Every structure is written in structure tokens, then in C-alpha cells.
Amino acid sequence: MSADAGPGTGADAGTQRTGRQDARALARARRRTALRRAVRDLLRKPGGVAGLVILGFFVVLALLAPLLFPAETLEVTRTTQPKLASPYAGYPFGTDRYGISVLALVAWGARISLLVGISATVISMVLGTLVGIASGHFRNLLGAVLERLTDWFLVIPFLPLVIVLATVLGSSILNVVVVIGITSWPATARLVRAQTLSIEARPYVERSRALGAGEWHLMTRHVLPNVMPLVLANTTLTVAVAIASETTLSFLGLGDPFAVSWGKILDDAFGAGAITAGAWWYLVPPGVCVVLVVLAFTLLGRALEEVLDPRRRSA
Amino acid sequence: MGRYALRRAGTAAGTAVFVLVVNFFLFRLLPGDPIGLITRGRNMDADQIRALRAQLNKPIWQQFLDYASNPFSTGVDSVKYSRPVWGLIGERVGPTLLLVGTATVIATAVGLWIGIRAGWRPGQGFDRGSTAVTLLLYAMPEFWLGMLLLIAFGTGIGPLPALFPIGGISTPGVDTSTPAGWLDVGRHLVLPATTIVLGYVAEYSLIMRASLVDEVHADYVTTARAKGLKDAEVRRRHALRNAMLPTSSLVLLNIGFVVSGAITVETVFSWPGLGLLTYDALRGPDIPLLQALFLLFSLSVIAVNLVADLLYGVIDPRVRT
């Protein structure tokens, strides 16, 4: 606010500034303590810790995949191993339809699955938060239109919409990310909208408005910090959904045909007749990875929800 | 109730229009010659192609109005089957309803039972065990679970013989109108239905548990206990009545989604329903068929939602305001 340079002596303005700096420092310190307490509370929850440990494992696996299994081990033309072979020395998960180690495929799959899941969630969160805050804040035509749009998107069945979008856009990693991102935001938007409404009804927002705060200031300085914890908890839950969606899309053959994701491995296994061949080693590892990662994000999300939601935080 | 019903119907109609708009314009975004896309690889005489081109050369808003005035018209045949799409879809509705209906009934019964037992004594043995199992099931991709069941019970593993058929709805050659035929269909139904049931049991029991936990410590429950009512009576006649509201709404709302959710499961088990048809359509892609299926799935969800909303208005008068 430019009222700083208004009437008043230099000394006055000085004390005002230090006063505001104090307030900033105070707010920062308070945020730090809150963060520290949230982390401490989270580490006390067995579900949260289990989620973090599992995720840590898969992140390390994804990062180390190129070192553990050089890219050429995935090349169909370079392999000398038998096809669809059950586990043996050096190939603890056996080989796939081309004679490539399933273990190497699963390790590389972690990269694509995590990458797609997290990037799609970023899109979904940004969209959901923007639409949610805007539709809760603006009580005019814009707000009403955004609210309707959210409701409509919530009603359209998820899988058919994703299938249609993926068919129309074509298959590449970026398109899969976009498709999952733009279909999974409405739930977040609705949550954020409800929270926005409840925050804007509080007296301090009214006070701020009375002091002349603009729409932008209200939304970014008062509403956004208050919805962030909710968004954060929701983010981890959305990553779980996004990874599951990626797996389903790839299984249906709508993923990037050149990117090895867990869903793609399952699609290949299904297509190669792994079921009738009884090749359980081809099906079980990628599925177990999906289950573990989805479970980890779900556990972490539930723990975060309890830690960050003041109503559910036990004294 | 009248005004509430009217408002709900209005919302449903608005959503239906939105779906029509999406369904019309989304497929117009496809790159390439639209006639090539919808007639791919099929012989059509020049007159038909000319008529199609004349239709596509109209202004886009006029095309939309034509489409919206009768979205169910069988304008273009399915690419893959060379037959009118709605006839094709009609044949597939029965198997899907059979599969989804059976699965929903069982999933609801089992899910509620587990949720009630777990939620009534939160934190105790049964609750911990069932929550762990349901969270695990919830994290599983349905089609993967289906493939595991197939490999274990369909092809047999080790000493285990193949207990159930590997796919399809009946053994070829068996007349499904006789009692022996029904039994055959039932045997084919076991694995796909179990797959869907396991997925939804997880969801339903988690919701039922959560809503019952909210009620366990409510004042009116304490009052009921103080009156000296038996534990089972407090649960059944007091707590459950309130806890059932969110759960029943979820179960109703879910029915619409279960149909489209069966896409992957039907694919894995070659169950000849709408899901498998969708899979066939997107592998092509068979655009006319896909467009019709998307419309059907969306409209059925909207219709089920409307029914659920109206029923909910009857059960819980508070939402009618």
C-alpha cells in the first residue's frame, strides 16, 4: 500500500516500517513453528512414516535406474535371454515377451509412473486451487459459471472422459499428463471453494476488506495461505489417483508407446498372453509397485490431513 | 419437495447439455480428414460420401444443432463392425447390467457390514485389520487384481486346477436360456464380479466406517445408552440411521460410475459388455462408436445422479431447503 509516504513525519514512517518488519518476522517465526510441529506430528503417525519410507525407496529406485540397469539392457535387439522365462539367477523377476529383465523394466517404470503422476497432480492442483478460490471469492457471474463448470466436470464419468481425451489428443507422455491433469481438478476445486467460503466469512477478512484491501490482496494474502494446508494434503491423495489413472490409461493402450511405465508393462504382459502362459512374474512386480506407491501416497495424504486440519488435530 | 425436484432436474438438464457440447466439439478436434476417420477402411459409395461431406460442410453451429436435436440418430456406422452403433450398444447392455448389478449388490452388503463392525469400535482389532485390508484393496488397480485372480483360478497355479473359466459370458455352444445355461453363465460371472466387488467393498466400508465413527460419540448415542438399551439396539436404531445417510448417497451415486468403471475388468475377462465394446472402440479408434458410448456413459451417470438426488431428498428432508 502506498499510504506509507502519506502525512506524518519521517520518524513516524520509520517506526511504522520497523513495526511492519516485526510483524513480518513474527509471522515468519510462527510459520516456522507451525511447520516444525506439523513435521513432528507427521513423524509420529505410523501411516505417515510408512508412506514416506515407501516413497523414499521408489524415488531412489527411479533415480538410480539408469545406473543399475543401463539403457541398453532394455533394448529388444541386444538381449540374449530367453523370452517369457520364469525367474532365474540374475533375473529375479524373470524376463518379458522380448527377453528383457522384468526387474529392469520395473525400475525404469518407476521413473515414468512417478513423473506422470506428479506432473499431472501439479496441473490438477494449480487448476483446482485457482478455480476453487475464484469461484468461492467472486459472488458474481464468474463465480457461478466456475461453480457450474466444476459440478459438470464432477458428473462426467472419469474413465470415459479420459479415454476420449486421450484418443483425441494422441499418445505421448505430455498428453497423458495433460489428460489426467485436466480431468482430476474438480474434486480439489470443490474442496477449496468450500474452504474459501468459510474463510471469507471470518471477521478478519471483513476487517481487511473494510480497510480497503483489493480482490487480489484478499485472495493471495488471506485466502490462499489458509487453503494451502488443505491443498497440500489433497495433493498427496491426488498423486495416488493420478498414478492409478496413468496405469489404467497405459493398460488400455492410450499411453506413450515408447515410455516404459508400470501400466505399459501390464499392457504388454496382457497382450503377450502372460495369463494363459501362467507368467505371474511378468504381472506381479509392476502391479505390486503400483499398489505400494498408491498406498504410500494415500497413507501420507491421510496422515497429512490429520496433521494439518485443525479440527482433526487432537490436543 | 416439488421445487427441490424441479431444481435438481434443471441441474441435470444443464449437465446433459454440457455433455452434448463436449461430445460434439471434442471429436471435431481430431486431426485429419473427418470422413477418412469415420469411414476408415470401409467401402462407401460416392453418394454416401457426398452426403456426408455436405453435412460436414455446413456451418459448425448448424452441425451442432443437427446433432443436439437428435444425438441418438444412427448417422454413421461403426467402423469396426460396419453396423449402426446404437444396435451394437443395445446388445451389450444386458451383460454389463448383469455383471455390474450383481457386483453392486454384493459389494454394498459386504462393504456396509464391514464398515459397521469396524466403525462401531474404532481402533480395535477388527477395525485395524479391516482398515489395513481395505486400504490395500483400494490401492489396487482393478484390472490387475482381475489378472491375478485369472492366473490363480482361471489357469490354475501349481497344484491348483483351473476352477473357473478364463473369459467370456458362457461356454460356446451352451444354450443360455436353460437352467444349465444359467449355471454356466454364473460360473463365468464369479471372477469378474469378485474383482469389482473387492474394489468397491473397500470404498464402501471406508465411507461407512467414517460416517459411523462420527456418530459413535454423539450425545444422542450416549443418551440411548443411558436409557439402558442394548448395544446392538443403540447401533441399529440410533447411530446407524444417521450414519446411513452419507453412505446411501455414495452407493447411489456410484452406480452410474460402476458401469463405466467396468471397462478394464470386462477387458481382462473378455466379458461381452459395454466395457469391452469401449476397449474395442478405442483400439481402432472407432470414432462413431466411441462418441456414442461416451454419450451413453455420461447420460446414464446424469440420470442415476438425478434419481439419487431425488431419493436423498426423500430420505433426508434437510437437503430440500
Side-chain angles (χ1 to χ4, degrees):
Chain A
M1 277 175 278
S2 54
D4 272 4
T9 63
D12 229 25
T15 50
Q16 216 175 29
R17 193 165 304 127
T18 51
R20 185 175 306 145
Q21 271 165 356
D22 283 351
R24 287 244 170 98
L26 201 67
R28 222 173 302 140
R30 204 181 289 154
R31 232 169 273 152
R32 255 201 314 273
T33 3
L35 185 69
R36 217 174 296 138
R37 194 187 52 211
V39 170
R40 200 190 55 215
D41 285 355
L42 185 65
L43 291 181
R44 267 200 212 129
K45 299 211 173 291
V49 175
L52 281 176
V53 169
I54 300 175
L55 286 184
F57 170 76
F58 277 101
V59 169
V60 170
L61 181 69
L63 291 176
L64 292 185
L67 296 176
L68 296 173
F69 310 97
E72 55 263 28
T73 55
L74 294 187
E75 276 176 39
V76 182
T77 47
R78 300 257 190 117
T79 176
T80 52
Q81 303 302 318
K83 292 170 185 172
L84 224 53
S86 55
Y88 57 100
Y91 292 79
F93 292 158
T95 60
D96 80 340
R97 65 194 299 189
Y98 305 113
I100 299 169
S101 166
V102 174
L103 179 63
L105 284 174
V106 166
W108 278 81
R111 295 167 75 86
I112 301 292
S113 291
L114 285 178
L115 181 76
V116 169
I118 292 169
S119 344
T121 305
V122 171
I123 295 183
S124 160
M125 283 301 124
V126 171
L127 264 178
T129 312
L130 280 179
V131 173
I133 291 184
S135 77
H137 180 80
F138 295 107
R139 309 286 170 76
N140 50 19
L141 189 66
L142 177 68
V145 167
L146 288 176
E147 195 198 348
R148 267 291 96 86
L149 202 66
T150 314
D151 285 349
W152 285 339
F153 263 98
L154 270 177
V155 169
I156 296 186
F158 181 71
L159 196 52
L161 180 63
V162 168
I163 286 174
V164 167
L165 276 175
T167 311
V168 169
L169 290 176
S171 32
S172 75
I173 294 189
L174 184 66
N175 283 345
V176 172
V177 168
V178 169
V179 164
I180 298 175
I182 58 177
T183 45
S184 56
W185 62 267
T188 312
R190 191 174 248 199
L191 205 69
V192 169
R193 179 175 187 274
Q195 182 77 354
T196 304
L197 287 177
S198 106
I199 288 162
E200 295 217 337
R202 290 177 196 170
Y204 76 88
V205 175
E206 199 184 334
R207 169 190 169 277
S208 184
R209 206 187 281 274
L211 285 176
E215 313 279 7
W216 181 249
H217 177 88
L218 281 175
M219 282 193 283
T220 53
R221 284 303 165 91
H222 295 295
V223 178
L224 190 63
N226 278 303
V227 298
M228 274 325 274
L230 198 72
V231 170
L232 191 64
N234 198 244
T235 301
T236 42
L237 292 175
T238 307
V239 179
V241 177
I243 289 180
S245 310
E246 192 277 333
T247 310
T248 307
L249 270 185
S250 296
F251 174 69
L252 292 173
L254 293 168
D256 189 328
F258 301 108
V260 182
S261 76
W262 293 327
K264 177 85 176 77
I265 304 176
L266 287 173
D267 179 32
D268 280 346
F270 184 65
I275 295 173
T276 35
W280 53 268
W281 60 87
Y282 197 173
L283 289 171
V284 173
V288 168
C289 290
V290 174
V291 172
L292 282 178
V293 169
V294 170
L295 191 64
F297 276 112
T298 311
L299 287 174
L300 192 61
R302 283 165 66 105
L304 272 177
E305 231 169 29
E306 282 174 31
V307 170
L308 296 175
D309 187 347
R311 279 168 307 165
R312 294 174 62 176
R313 193 190 294 145
S314 42
Chain B
M1 188 67 200
R3 279 188 58 194
Y4 169 78
L6 217 61
R7 212 171 53 228
R8 287 287 138 195
T11 312
T15 316
V17 170
F18 177 68
V19 163
L20 280 183
V21 171
V22 168
N23 203 19
F24 176 80
F25 285 101
L26 211 52
F27 286 95
R28 291 294 185 281
L29 293 177
L30 278 167
D33 176 18
I35 294 186
L37 272 176
I38 52 188
T39 63
R40 167 190 322 230
R42 195 177 49 204
N43 281 329
M44 288 183 91
D45 61 47
D47 281 344
Q48 275 174 309
I49 292 184
R50 241 194 315 276
L52 210 56
R53 196 172 296 281
Q55 168 71 18
L56 285 165
N57 279 342
K58 285 189 201 166
I60 192 92
W61 57 267
Q62 205 172 348
Q63 287 186 46
F64 176 67
L65 286 184
D66 285 350
Y67 173 70
S69 64
N70 185 11
F72 300 103
S73 75
T74 46
V76 184
D77 286 359
S78 150
V79 178
K80 186 164 177 177
Y81 298 91
S82 299
R83 285 179 47 199
V85 286
W86 290 105
L88 208 54
I89 289 174
E91 292 167 8
R92 301 296 192 102
V93 172
T96 291
L97 287 184
L98 174 67
L99 173 62
V100 165
T102 317
T104 305
V105 170
I106 300 175
T108 312
V110 177
L112 295 195
W113 183 79
I114 293 176
I116 291 168
R117 272 206 68 178
W120 192 238
R121 301 202 194 293
Q124 298 218 337
F126 184 85
D127 178 36
R128 283 157 170 271
S130 69
T131 306
V133 171
T134 45
L135 276 179
L136 194 66
L137 283 176
Y138 196 58
M140 275 185 201
E142 274 186 330
F143 63 89
W144 182 66
L145 185 63
M147 291 199 281
L148 290 192
L149 288 179
L150 252 186
I151 229 173
F153 301 107
T155 53
I157 238 176
L160 203 68
L163 292 175
F164 294 101
I166 193 146
I169 191 170
S170 62
T171 314
V174 171
D175 183 8
T176 51
S177 54
T178 60
W182 300 338
L183 211 66
D184 185 52
V185 172
R187 253 167 52 83
H188 282 79
L189 187 62
V190 174
L191 288 184
T194 309
T195 309
I196 300 182
V197 164
L198 287 175
Y200 282 93
V201 157
E203 195 176 340
Y204 293 162
S205 69
L206 284 174
I207 297 286
M208 183 71 236
R209 178 190 174 278
S211 24
L212 193 58
V213 165
D214 282 345
E215 306 291 337
V216 167
H217 298 294
D219 290 343
Y220 71 90
V221 173
T222 315
T223 311
R225 278 189 205 288
K227 282 194 296 191
L229 292 181
K230 280 190 210 117
D231 190 58
E233 255 178 25
V234 178
R235 184 172 70 190
R236 191 167 52 85
R237 301 190 43 186
H238 294 264
L240 257 189
R241 293 222 165 163
N242 287 300
M244 274 311 285
L245 286 174
T247 316
S248 54
S249 131
L250 179 90
V251 171
L252 285 171
L253 286 177
N254 242 335
I255 294 176
F257 287 100
V258 182
V259 175
S260 56
I263 292 174
T264 54
V265 175
E266 285 189 7
T267 303
V268 169
F269 291 96
S270 331
W271 187 262
L274 293 170
L276 188 61
L277 192 62
T278 311
Y279 182 73
D280 286 345
L282 69 90
R283 280 273 154 148
D286 187 340
I287 301 298
L289 187 55
L290 206 54
Q291 201 171 10
L293 281 166
F294 180 68
L295 184 69
L296 177 73
F297 285 139
S298 307
L299 289 186
S300 59
V301 170
I302 295 171
V304 171
N305 275 7
L306 180 61
V307 174
D309 273 344
L310 294 181
L311 275 179
Y312 201 56
V314 174
I315 306 172
D316 186 355
R318 283 173 301 181
V319 303
R320 272 186 246 153
T321 49

